[in-house]
Amino acid sequence: MVSFDHREPGTDPAAWTTFLAGVGAATVDLAGVGSVVVVAPHPDDETLGAGGLIATAADAGTPVHVLLVTAGEGSHPDSPTTTPDALVTRRRAEFRAALGTLHPAASATELTVPDGGLREHRDELRRALAARLAGAARPTLVVAPWRGDGHRDHRIAGEVAEELVAATPGTALLSYPVWTWHWDTPDAPAAPWERARVLPLDAAVRDRKARALAAYPSQTEPLSPAPGDEAVVDDRHAAHHLRAEEWYFVPDPATDDADADADADADATLADATVPSSRSRASFDEHYARKPEGWDFDGSWYERRKRAVTLAALPRERFRSALELGCATGVLTAALTERADAVLGTDIAAAPLDRARRRAPAARFEQAAFPAEWPAGRWDLVVLSEVGYYLSADDLDRTVDRVLGSLDDDGVLVTCHWRHPDDEAVSDGDTVDARIGARWPRPRLVHHVEDDFVLSVFPGPDVRSVARTEGLAP
């Protein structure tokens, strides 16, 4: 997940202007489009990301419907002068005024998902979008946030839109960036500019977009001079969106193919629409494109201490063959090579494995998306650290079954998971730990719980306590 602060200056809009001049993207053509459906996680996203497209559709007589997911009540969490409830009323009124400026005939559905809570309510958006697409004039253009935009609600909205468009004939998708302009850099861009599309905006459309954005004073102006009341979309940030063109991304065909291979039956996908899916390979690829080291495994005292606790929890001094699932850049893998004769690390993404190989030359590494892709071999140590909550419930169960099927009788599964919220996670550490514990056929050997993480050691049938193994206890 991208970490950024909207109060920081962010990337200079002029730097993007120079970069965009050389992109050479194909032009968005709305001719022949039967209807447009725009997904806006928060009031003003529809204007920032797609206001020019909405206004252009209005001029062409193309019907537009906007799905507003949240009321954006979390925009000023530290404000001393307003409350989330007051912002709900204010921002919904601003949304209606802005949409009327862009497209007077546009319609809208206003969902009641909590701001910042779309991950837990993705099925609500999925149902609303599926219902809207079912009755929309074809061909239908769906416009939604780019899932790599760096905000959790934007990611979930983008994923839901991609999934439904892929499963719905007669629809196409354009994804818009909002916060990408702020945190990304044209010197080493993470956004997929090879898949960019551009929509030129004439002067009249640009004027309507500017007036629509001005209809959001709760976002474009400070609520008061007090700290916590700063503008969310200040002039510098607005400059990214008030260009003479709008920029979009089209879906990655390779990702579409991979998704089709993973679940070829689109009808089954829609039937299971309310079940959260595992985090995708593409989302991890996007993460490592932004942060090649992944997380601060080396510098963070939390990470170093957690590794020490994990290694201390191992019930044997030495293991024959260890498997680390989701090894990332190999920091824990390197430590495991000092405790096991052979170590294999796997990760869903290819990028971190290059670093892992350099960091832990004594280990082997394979790119694999478990549980579907499972390495051959038998293990007396399997480590699942900080990745279980990226799996759907079904994939987590299948992973446990895979471990049980390849673990020696004297082997152990060690799991360790963060207990605080994670914007990219499908579930949480406590849920993962409890689900594995319910599925594992024997009681835990170790169960360590603290505020930050939960760690468990699940034993095979021949594993005894350290004291009994050492002959110190009967």
Side-chain angles (χ1 to χ4, degrees):
M1 187 68 181
V2 176
S3 177
F4 62 86
D5 187 335
H6 72 270
R7 292 166 296 187
E8 295 178 351
T11 302
D12 185 352
W16 281 117
T17 300
T18 302
F19 172 84
L20 295 172
V23 170
T27 301
V28 174
D29 186 1
L30 296 182
V33 172
S35 60
V36 175
V37 177
V38 178
V39 179
H42 315 96
D44 78 6
D45 286 333
E46 82 296 328
T47 298
L48 293 168
L53 188 148
I54 294 171
T56 301
D59 292 345
T62 304
V64 171
H65 187 90
V66 179
L67 280 174
L68 179 63
V69 182
T70 81
E73 69 273 15
S75 66
H76 290 79
D78 301 319
S79 172
T81 64
T82 191
T83 65
D85 286 344
L87 283 170
V88 167
T89 301
R90 183 171 181 179
R91 296 200 67 186
R92 287 195 184 278
E94 290 174 340
F95 166 73
R96 295 164 194 149
L99 185 57
T101 299
L102 294 170
H103 193 320
S107 58
T109 300
E110 298 182 28
L111 305 181
T112 56
V113 172
D115 190 0
L118 184 52
R119 182 186 64 185
E120 294 77 18
H121 296 266
R122 67 187 299 154
D123 56 321
E124 188 174 340
L125 172 58
R126 197 188 303 263
R127 286 194 297 267
L129 182 55
R132 174 53 50 179
L133 294 181
R138 297 287 192 266
T140 305
L141 177 63
V142 178
V143 185
W146 176 46
R147 64 183 183 183
D149 198 44
H151 189 292
R152 180 173 68 171
D153 286 344
H154 291 207
R155 175 178 67 85
I156 300 299
E159 289 178 351
V160 169
E162 282 198 26
E163 292 163 7
L164 284 177
V165 167
T168 307
T171 64
L173 177 69
L174 288 177
S175 299
Y176 58 82
V178 173
W179 289 109
T180 304
W181 302 109
H182 180 78
W183 58 258
D184 201 4
T185 170
D187 295 333
W193 291 103
E194 72 280 1
R195 296 188 276 111
R197 300 292 184 268
V198 63
L199 176 67
L201 309 179
D202 63 34
V205 165
R206 291 172 62 192
D207 175 69
R208 276 152 62 197
K209 181 172 181 176
R211 287 190 286 114
L213 185 57
Y216 284 105
S218 73
Q219 305 302 295
T220 60
E221 301 173 7
L223 300 181
S224 81
D229 275 353
E230 298 87 353
V232 177
V233 183
D234 58 18
D235 290 345
R236 182 182 173 95
H237 187 73
H240 293 300
H241 301 277
L242 297 178
R243 301 178 182 277
E245 70 283 327
E246 283 179 343
W247 291 87
Y248 300 89
F249 305 118
V250 295
D252 183 358
T255 302
D256 292 343
D257 292 343
D259 291 344
D261 291 340
D263 188 358
D265 189 343
D267 292 336
T269 300
L270 289 176
D272 295 335
T274 61
V275 180
S277 58
S278 295
R279 185 176 169 186
S280 68
R281 173 173 277 155
S283 71
F284 280 102
D285 290 340
E286 290 163 358
H287 175 85
Y288 284 108
R290 296 188 297 263
K291 295 183 64 178
E293 279 293 341
W295 290 263
D296 188 15
F297 296 118
D298 288 312
S300 165
W301 166 237
Y302 164 79
E303 291 287 349
R304 288 183 280 124
R305 175 180 175 272
K306 182 188 65 180
R307 277 197 304 279
V309 174
T310 301
L311 294 167
L314 300 181
R316 298 212 315 265
E317 185 175 5
R318 195 78 190 167
F319 293 85
R320 297 181 299 276
S321 182
L323 169 65
E324 184 185 2
L325 299 167
C327 65
T329 57
V331 180
L332 178 58
T333 323
L336 292 174
T337 62
E338 300 177 4
R339 300 284 297 273
D341 298 332
V343 178
L344 173 63
T346 73
D347 201 90
I348 190 173
L353 295 180
D354 292 335
R355 279 176 158 72
R357 291 185 179 98
R358 294 194 294 270
R359 181 173 273 127
R364 294 187 300 115
F365 295 93
E366 293 180 8
Q367 184 181 6
F370 58 85
E373 300 168 348
W374 196 259
R378 301 286 303 177
W379 324 98
D380 60 336
L381 173 61
V382 177
V383 179
L384 182 73
S385 180
E386 305 286 24
V387 291
Y389 40 61
Y390 296 135
L391 298 175
S392 67
D394 180 62
D395 280 347
L396 181 62
D397 288 348
R398 291 169 57 207
T399 297
V400 173
D401 293 343
R402 289 278 206 174
V403 173
L404 286 167
S406 58
L407 191 70
D408 289 339
D409 287 349
D410 63 344
V412 295
L413 166 65
V414 180
T415 67
C416 184
H417 290 93
W418 173 252
R419 299 186 68 215
H420 300 290
D422 181 340
D423 288 348
E424 299 284 2
V426 175
S427 62
D428 58 81
D430 289 332
T431 298
V432 168
D433 185 77
R435 194 172 186 96
I436 296 174
R439 198 168 187 84
W440 199 262
R442 285 164 289 279
R444 294 173 175 86
L445 190 68
V446 175
H447 191 213
H448 171 81
V449 183
E450 56 181 78
D451 287 347
D452 295 329
F453 66 87
V454 54
L455 181 147
S456 291
V457 177
F458 298 95
D462 291 349
V463 175
R464 300 188 300 166
S465 75
V466 175
R468 288 189 173 92
T469 301
E470 294 267 303
L472 302 176

